[in-house]
Amino acid sequence: MSKLRKEGNQEKKIIHIDMDAFFASVEQHDNPKLRGKPVAVGGSRTRGVVAAASYEARAYGVYSAMPSPIAYRKCPSIIFVKPRFDRYKEVSQVIRNIFLSYTDWVEPLSLDEAFLDVTHNKKGIHSATHIAQAIQKEIKEKTGLTASAGISINKFIAKSASDYNKPNGITLVGPEKVHTYLEQLPIEAFFGIGKVTAEKMRAKGITDGKSLKKWTEAALFKQFGKAGRFYFNMVRGIDHRPVNPNRERKSIGAENTFTKNLKEKSEMSEALKEISETLARRLQSSGKSPKTLTLKVKFNDFSQITRSKTIEKTFLKEQEIFELGCQLLENDINWLQVPSEVRLLGLSLSNFLGETRHNAKNNGQLTINF
C-alpha cells in the first residue's frame, strides 16, 4: 500500500470535479441557437473581458480573462452574450446538491468546481472512479451539462488530473502511478507555480516534475524561500491539505503591477477601471455579497498604503466598485500632491454578507478501491 497520503493507515480518495466551460455551456444549453457556435460570456467587440469561452471559441485561441476585442480579432464569428450570474448560481446549486448526496466532505472552489473526499461515502460505493462516473451522469441528467473529474490521493494531484482529459473526461492517478504522473507534469501545472516562477524555473533547467525532483530541499529553499519547501513536497506527492467543507474565502481581489510607473491621476483612474472589471467578474463567479472595499497602492520605493470603506448594502456591480475605488484614491490628497510614482494598484472585497465561522472534524475514514 502506498505511503504517500494516508489518514491514519488509510489512503484518502479525493475527487476534483470541474464543469466544462461552465458559463458558456449554460448559455448554449438554455439557447439552442448558440449550440455548436463560438460563444463568449462577457465583453463585446469593442470593450470588456471574456468571462468564459465555449470550446468552439477556444479552438480559435479565445480564453477567459482575454480582452474581448482580442477575442473578436481571433474569431470574427464569435457571439458575445451577457452574463447571467443568477442562472449560473442556480445551476451550481443543483450540482452542489448532487455532490452532497454522495459525501458531506465537499469543498467548493467556485461556482463550477469543487473537491470531494469520498474515502467514506453515503452510498457505500467502493470505488472513487465509480462515484465520479455516477456524478457525471447525474449532472448530465439534471442540468444537461458535462463535467470532468480528476481522482487521486490528494487535492493537488486530483485538481491537475481533472484538466488532463477535458471535456467530459475522467483521469485517475492511483497510488501506484503518482510518481510517474508527477514526473511528466509540466512545471506550470504544479500548484502555486505561476507564470513568473515558472519562467525562473525554466531558466534554471526545471521544466517538469522530473527535473524539479532533482533539486534538494535546501537548494529549492535557497532559490524560492519557503515556497521551495512546498515545491519539494508537492513533486513527491505530499499534500496534507484536507478537503474542508467549511472553507470560507475571506476576500476577493485583483491587482496590477505596471511595467511603467504611473504618475497622473488619469492614468491611475484608467488602471482602476480595468482592475474593477476583473474584480467584478471574480465577485460574480464567487456568488459572494461583500460590504467592504479595500484599495492598495504601492509606490516606486515599495512602500504602500491601504484604504478601506464599508457600505450598508453590498457590492454587486462593476461601476460601484470602480467609483468607490476612485474615491478612496482621491481621498488621500496629500500623497497625490507629492510627486510619487505608483507601481501597483489593487482592489479587494471582503466582509461578506452572512459570513460565519465553523469548526469541523473529520470522522474515521474507510479505505475503498479507486
Side-chain angles (χ1 to χ4, degrees), residues 288-303:
K288 297 285 189 178
S289 299
K291 300 180 70 174
T292 300
L293 178 70
T294 299
L295 167 75
K296 178 169 74 172
V297 184
K298 184 176 290 186
F299 301 100
N300 58 323
D301 62 357
F302 289 90
S303 63

Side-chain angles (χ1 to χ4, degrees), residues 235-265:
V235 76
R236 287 163 175 78
I238 302 170
D239 178 9
H240 297 304
R241 294 173 301 156
V243 171
N244 181 6
N246 299 311
R247 180 178 184 266
E248 293 183 359
R249 194 171 186 177
K250 305 304 179 185
S251 66
I252 302 168
E255 61 183 37
N256 192 1
T257 300
F258 310 108
T259 54
K260 182 180 179 182
N261 293 337
L262 306 185
K263 299 179 182 179
E264 304 296 331
K265 273 207 311 182

Side-chain angles (χ1 to χ4, degrees), residues 59-211:
Y60 289 86
V62 177
Y63 297 98
S64 61
M66 175 180 287
S68 52
I70 295 178
Y72 176 62
R73 289 200 295 272
K74 286 179 173 288
C75 180
S77 61
I78 197 166
I79 302 171
F80 292 98
V81 298
K82 185 178 180 180
R84 299 181 299 147
F85 289 101
D86 287 342
R87 174 59 176 155
Y88 308 149
K89 292 174 189 175
E90 177 186 356
V91 177
S92 179
Q93 189 58 55
V94 173
I95 297 167
R96 189 77 47 83
N97 290 339
I98 293 173
F99 297 159
L100 291 170
S101 72
Y102 288 86
T103 176
D104 289 331
W105 298 96
V106 177
E107 180 180 339
L109 301 180
S110 62
L111 291 177
D112 62 342
E113 62 175 320
F115 287 113
L116 289 73
D117 185 337
V118 297
T119 313
H120 175 67
N121 68 91
K122 296 178 179 179
K123 300 192 178 186
I125 301 174
H126 298 292
S127 165
T129 302
H130 291 166
I131 292 173
Q133 291 170 337
I135 288 173
Q136 282 183 320
K137 183 174 183 291
E138 199 167 342
I139 288 174
K140 181 67 174 179
E141 290 173 348
K142 292 185 177 180
T143 70
L145 306 178
T146 64
S148 295
I151 308 166
S152 196
I153 59 173
N154 62 42
K155 291 166 71 172
F156 160 62
I157 303 173
K159 191 175 192 311
S160 64
S162 67
D163 285 331
Y164 210 77
N165 190 22
K166 275 184 163 288
N168 199 32
I170 291 180
T171 300
L172 165 65
V173 182
E176 73 286 353
K177 296 181 180 179
V178 165
H179 290 301
T180 302
Y181 174 81
L182 291 174
E183 286 180 358
Q184 58 81 43
L185 202 64
I187 201 65
E188 294 86 353
F190 279 81
F191 179 81
I193 297 180
K195 183 178 179 181
V196 174
T197 303
E199 290 176 355
K200 184 177 179 181
M201 285 186 168
R202 286 187 174 277
K204 297 181 179 299
I206 304 174
T207 59
D208 54 20
K210 186 175 183 179
S211 51

